[in-house]
C-alpha cells in the first residue's frame, strides 16, 4: 500500500475539526491518497449505471474534501451521493494509490449521522434498527418470531396474492426479507463442539445477529464442516452483533459499543482462530481498529483480535481439509462477496474449496466480483438500484449454465435467492460451507 505523503501526515496532524459536531469525519491523511486518476471509475457499480462523476469513487471523495474544507454544505446533495454508494469497495481493488475508500465512506457517513437531520421517517427507522434492534439479541428473536408467524401462517401468501404489498410500494422489499428458521441458533451460544479425530485447531465461531434467526442451518453446517476437519469449535456466550450494519450506516457510537463487547468476549481465551461465515461481518471484525481513534486503548485489543480473525473459507483453505468428500455432480458458479474479495482480499480460497468437491465443475461468471446489490441494507434503502444490479448479476449467472450459485456471505445469498425467483433462473444458492457440508454428507451416506 502506498505510504501517506509526509505533507499529508503533517496536515492531518495539524488540521482541527472544521466546525462539525462529533469527532468523526474523513481524514486528510486518508483522502489525500487520491490522485484523481479515475482508474476506479469503471469498476464502480453506481458510476457504471449512471455515468455521473458525483456517483463515482473519485467524485465522492472530492465531495468529502469540499465538505471538509467548508466549500460544500453537508446537505441533501452530499448525503444523497454518499447514501447511494454501496460501500462495496470495488474501487479499493482498482485503486493504484491505496485509497482505503471503505474507511472514507464510513467516516463520511458518521459525519452525516452527527451533523445532518434526516426526515423523521428515516430517523425513526434508523434508530429502530441500529439502536433498538441489532444490539439486542432478545429483541431480534422476538421480531423474528413475528416475521416467522407472518411467513408461515398464510398471511404472507395473502399479502402477496392480494396486491396489498404492491399497493403499499413494499412488494420488492418484502421479497428480500430473510426466511426465518424453525429454530434459532441462540441456544448454541456457550457450547463447545469437539473435533472429530485428532484435534488440529481450537477455534471460536462468531455466530452473527440476524444470522442466528435466519441462517441457523448455515451456522450448524459450519460447525459440522469444521469439526469434521479436526477443529474443536467454541461458540462463546455473550457475543453480539459485529456492528457492521451500524458502522456502514455511520452509527458509530453503537458500532463501538458492540465492538467493545466482542473484543472482551473473544479475547477472554486463546484461540487458534476466530471464524465467521459472513464476509460482511468479517471485514468489520477485521477492521475494528478503524472504529476507534488511533490513541484509544481499544486499538491494542483490536489488533490482537484482527490477528486471529479469519473468514471460514480462508481458514479452511490454510488448514487444509481432511474430511472425506462425496461426489456431487454439479455445475456451479461463484459470486465473490464484495466484503470478502474487495474488503478482505480473499478470492482464491473459496474457489479452491469449491474445486475440491468431486464432481463439481466451477464455471466463472462475468463480473463475478461486481456487487449483487445486497450491500447490507442497501437493497432496502435503495431498492430500485439494488434490483438493477441484481438483474445484471442474474444475467451473468444464467449465462454460465450453472444450476447452483455459490457465495460466501448470507446477505448475498438472500439477494441471489430473490434474484433467482424474480428472474426465474431456477438456480439454487448455497454458501461454500453448505457445498462442503453436502459433500461430506454424501461421503458419509456412501459408507
Ligand atoms: S464503494 Fe462501490 S459504489 Fe461506492 S464508490 Fe466504491 S465502487 Fe462505487
Ligand atoms: S480513488 Fe484511487 S483510482 Fe480512484 S481516482 Fe482516486 S487515486 Fe485514482
Amino acid at each position: 500500500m502506498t505510504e501517506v505523503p509526509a505533507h499529508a501526515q503533517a496536515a492531518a496532524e495539524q488540521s482541527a475539526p472544521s466546525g462539525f459536531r462529533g469527532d468523526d469525519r474523513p481524514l486528510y491523511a486518508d483522502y489525500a491518497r487520491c490522485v484523481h486518476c479515475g482508474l476506479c471509475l469503471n469498476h464502480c457499480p453506481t458510476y457504471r449505471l449512471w455515468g455521473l462523476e458525483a456517483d463515482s469513487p473519485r467524485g465522492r471523495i472530492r465531495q468529502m474534501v469540499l465538505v471538509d474544507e467548508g466549500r460544500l454544505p453537508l446537505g441533501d446533495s452530499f448525503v444523497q451521493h454518499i447514501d447511494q454508494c454501496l460501500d462495496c469497495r470495488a474501487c479499493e481493488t482498482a485503486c493504484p494509490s491505496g485509497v482505503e475508500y471503505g474507511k472514507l465512506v464510513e467516516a463520511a457517513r458518521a459525519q452525516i449521522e452527527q451533523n445532518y437531520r434526516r426526515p423523521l421517517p428515516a430517523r425513526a427507522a434508523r434508530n429502530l434498527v441500529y439502536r433498538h434492534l441489532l444490539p439486542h439479541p432478545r429483541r431480534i428473536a422476538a421480531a423474528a418470531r413475528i416475521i416467522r408467524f407472518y411467513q408461515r401462517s398464510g398471511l404472507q401468501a395473502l399479502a402477496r396474492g392480494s396486491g396489498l404489498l404492491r399497493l403499499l410500494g413494499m412488494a420488492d422489499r418484502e421479497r428480500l426479507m430473510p426466511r426465518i428458521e424453525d429454530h434459532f441458533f441462540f441456544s448454541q451460544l456457550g457450547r463447545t463442539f469437539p473435533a472429530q479425530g485428532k484435534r488440529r485447531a481450537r477455534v471460536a465461531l462468531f455466530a452473527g445477529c440476524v444470522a442466528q434467526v435466519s441462517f441457523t442451518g448455515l451456522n450448524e453446517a459450519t460447525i459440522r464442516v469444521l469439526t469434521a476437519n479436526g477443529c474443536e469449535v467454541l461458540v462463546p456466550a455473550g457475543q453480539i452483533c459485529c456492528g457492521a450494519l451500524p458502522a456502514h450506516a455511520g452509527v458509530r457510537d453503537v458500532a463501538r459499543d458492540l465492538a467493545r463487547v466482542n473484543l472482551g468476549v473473544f479475547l477472554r481465551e486463546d484461540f487458534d482462530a476466530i471464524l465467521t461465515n459472513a464476509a460482511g461481518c468479517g471485514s468489520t471484525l477485521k477492521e475494528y481498529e478503524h472504529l476507534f481513534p488511533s490513541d484509544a486503548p481499544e486499538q491494542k485489543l483490536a489488533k490482537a483480535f484482527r490477528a486471529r480473525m479469519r473468514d471460514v473459507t480462508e481458514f479452511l483453505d490454510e488448514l487444509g481439509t481432511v474430511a472425506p468428500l462425496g461426489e456431487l455432480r454439479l455445475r456451479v458458479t461463484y459470486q465473490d462477496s464484495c466484503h470478502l474479495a474487495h474488503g478482505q482480499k480473499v478470492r482464491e480460497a473459496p474457489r479452491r474449496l469449491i474445486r475440491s468437491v468431486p464432481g463439481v465443475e466451477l464455471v466463472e461468471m462475468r463480473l463475478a466480483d461486481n456487487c449483487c446489490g445486497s450491500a447490507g441494507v442497501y437493497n432496502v434503502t435503495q431498492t430500485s438500484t439494488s434490483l438493477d444490479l441484481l438483474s445484471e448479476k442474474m444475467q451473468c449467472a444464467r449465462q454460465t449454465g450453472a444450476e447452483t450459485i455459490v457465495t460466501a456471505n448470507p446477505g448475498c445469498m438472500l439477494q441471489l435467492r430473490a434474484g433467482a425467483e424474480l428472474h426465474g433462473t431456477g438456480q439454487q444458492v448455497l454458501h461454500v460451507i453448505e457445498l462442503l457440508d453436502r459433500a461430506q454428507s454424501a461421503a458419509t451416506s456412501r459408507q
Side-chain angles (χ1 to χ4, degrees), residues 248-293:
H248 294 169
V251 188
R252 277 214 173 161
D253 56 321
V254 172
R256 284 181 183 128
D257 288 345
L258 295 170
R260 285 188 192 99
V261 173
N262 284 325
L263 289 172
V265 167
F266 284 95
L267 293 177
R268 213 180 281 149
E269 283 185 60
D270 199 17
F271 298 108
D272 294 314
I274 303 165
L275 304 179
T276 175
N277 53 30
C281 305
S283 64
T284 295
L285 290 161
K286 285 181 178 176
E287 291 174 349
Y288 270 166
E289 286 154 88
H290 292 183
L291 291 174
F292 300 100

Side-chain angles (χ1 to χ4, degrees), residues 44-46 57 60 85-91 101:
C44 171
T46 55
R60 290 187 175 113
C85 169
L86 293 142
D87 197 1
C88 69
R89 298 168 68 170
C91 45
Y101 180 85

Side-chain angles (χ1 to χ4, degrees), residues 319-347:
L319 183 73
T321 52
V322 293
L325 299 175
E327 192 174 335
L328 287 185
R329 285 179 188 270
L330 278 180
R331 185 180 173 92
V332 313
T333 190
Y334 177 67
Q335 156 67 16
D336 284 282
S337 153
C338 297
H339 281 89
L340 196 58
H342 304 302
Q344 301 177 55
K345 319 294 179 211
V346 176
R347 286 170 182 267

Side-chain angles (χ1 to χ4, degrees), residues 33-41 57-58 61 91 94-99:
R33 287 179 192 271
C34 177
V35 296
H36 321 298
C37 65
L39 290 174
C40 52
L41 265 61
R58 180 175 66 184
I61 293 171
C91 45
C95 178
S97 297
V99 171

Side-chain angles (χ1 to χ4, degrees), residues 130-141:
Y130 299 127
R131 298 186 184 282
H132 300 296
L133 182 65
L134 293 177
H136 304 282
R138 285 210 178 102
R139 293 182 197 168
I140 292 175

Side-chain angles (χ1 to χ4, degrees), residues 215 218 277-280 311-313 332-341 346 349-351 353-354 362 365 368-372 374 393 404-417 428-436:
F215 283 94
L218 172 59
N277 53 30
D311 183 80
V312 66
T313 62
V332 313
T333 190
Y334 177 67
Q335 156 67 16
D336 284 282
S337 153
C338 297
H339 281 89
L340 196 58
V346 176
R351 288 178 165 84
L353 292 174
I354 293 169
L362 174 62
M365 76 168 99
D369 66 353
N370 225 36
C371 183
C372 63
S374 169
K393 180 60 62 186
T404 305
I405 307 172
V406 178
T407 189
N409 186 44
C412 308
M413 291 170 71
L414 290 176
Q415 179 85 348
L416 294 167
R417 279 180 186 153
Q428 66 171 340
V429 180
L430 295 176
H431 193 286
V432 180
I433 291 297
E434 290 176 328
L435 188 76
L436 291 176

Side-chain angles (χ1 to χ4, degrees), residues 147-434:
I147 297 172
R148 187 170 57 195
F149 176 75
Y150 166 76
Q151 290 175 339
R152 308 281 205 281
S153 63
L155 275 175
Q156 182 174 49
L158 191 70
R160 284 182 176 183
S162 66
L164 179 69
L165 292 169
R166 201 149 290 286
L167 202 70
L168 296 171
M170 288 172 61
D172 291 333
R173 286 193 184 112
E174 196 267 355
R175 212 174 276 277
L176 296 166
M177 188 161 51
R179 183 164 171 82
I180 304 299
E181 296 256 21
D182 291 333
H183 62 286
F184 300 159
F185 193 76
F186 293 116
S187 58
Q188 306 301 315
L189 295 183
R191 285 191 61 186
T192 299
F193 298 84
Q196 286 173 28
K198 186 172 176 291
R199 192 175 89 177
R200 302 166 71 207
R202 185 168 175 271
V203 301
L205 179 68
F206 176 78
C209 55
V210 176
Q212 298 205 49
V213 297
S214 57
F215 283 94
T216 309
L218 172 59
N219 280 344
E220 290 169 349
T222 305
I223 292 170
R224 281 194 296 274
V225 169
L226 287 167
T227 52
N229 281 292
C231 300
E232 180 180 85
V233 183
L234 277 82
V235 191
Q239 60 174 290
I240 198 162
C241 166
C242 66
L245 292 176
H248 294 169
V251 188
R252 277 214 173 161
D253 56 321
V254 172
R256 284 181 183 128
D257 288 345
L258 295 170
R260 285 188 192 99
V261 173
N262 284 325
L263 289 172
V265 167
F266 284 95
L267 293 177
R268 213 180 281 149
E269 283 185 60
D270 199 17
F271 298 108
D272 294 314
I274 303 165
L275 304 179
T276 175
N277 53 30
C281 305
S283 64
T284 295
L285 290 161
K286 285 181 178 176
E287 291 174 349
Y288 270 166
E289 286 154 88
H290 292 183
L291 291 174
F292 300 100
S294 57
D295 56 353
E298 289 88 354
Q299 286 293 343
K300 208 173 144 202
L301 298 174
K303 282 190 178 73
F305 186 73
R306 170 165 53 85
R308 293 180 180 84
M309 194 66 225
R310 294 277 184 286
D311 183 80
V312 66
T313 62
E314 186 184 15
F315 173 79
L316 277 171
D317 182 56
E318 279 168 18
L319 183 73
T321 52
V322 293
L325 299 175
E327 192 174 335
L328 287 185
R329 285 179 188 270
L330 278 180
R331 185 180 173 92
V332 313
T333 190
Y334 177 67
Q335 156 67 16
D336 284 282
S337 153
C338 297
H339 281 89
L340 196 58
H342 304 302
Q344 301 177 55
K345 319 294 179 211
V346 176
R347 286 170 182 267
E348 290 310 314
R351 288 178 165 84
R352 274 194 289 271
L353 292 174
I354 293 169
R355 285 197 199 96
S356 72
V357 178
V360 164
E361 182 195 0
L362 174 62
V363 191
E364 290 290 346
M365 76 168 99
R366 212 166 45 83
L367 304 172
D369 66 353
N370 225 36
C371 183
C372 63
S374 169
V377 294
Y378 194 92
N379 53 6
V380 178
T381 59
Q382 309 278 337
T383 309
S384 136
T385 310
S386 163
L387 290 175
D388 288 346
L389 293 171
L390 181 59
S391 169
E392 183 186 44
K393 180 60 62 186
M394 297 317 296
Q395 213 177 21
C396 296
R398 194 201 289 263
Q399 281 166 358
T400 63
E403 68 261 58
T404 305
I405 307 172
V406 178
T407 189
N409 186 44
C412 308
M413 291 170 71
L414 290 176
Q415 179 85 348
L416 294 167
R417 279 180 186 153
E421 196 186 321
L422 274 169
H423 295 271
T425 69
Q427 290 160 308
Q428 66 171 340
V429 180
L430 295 176
H431 193 286
V432 180
I433 291 297
E434 290 176 328

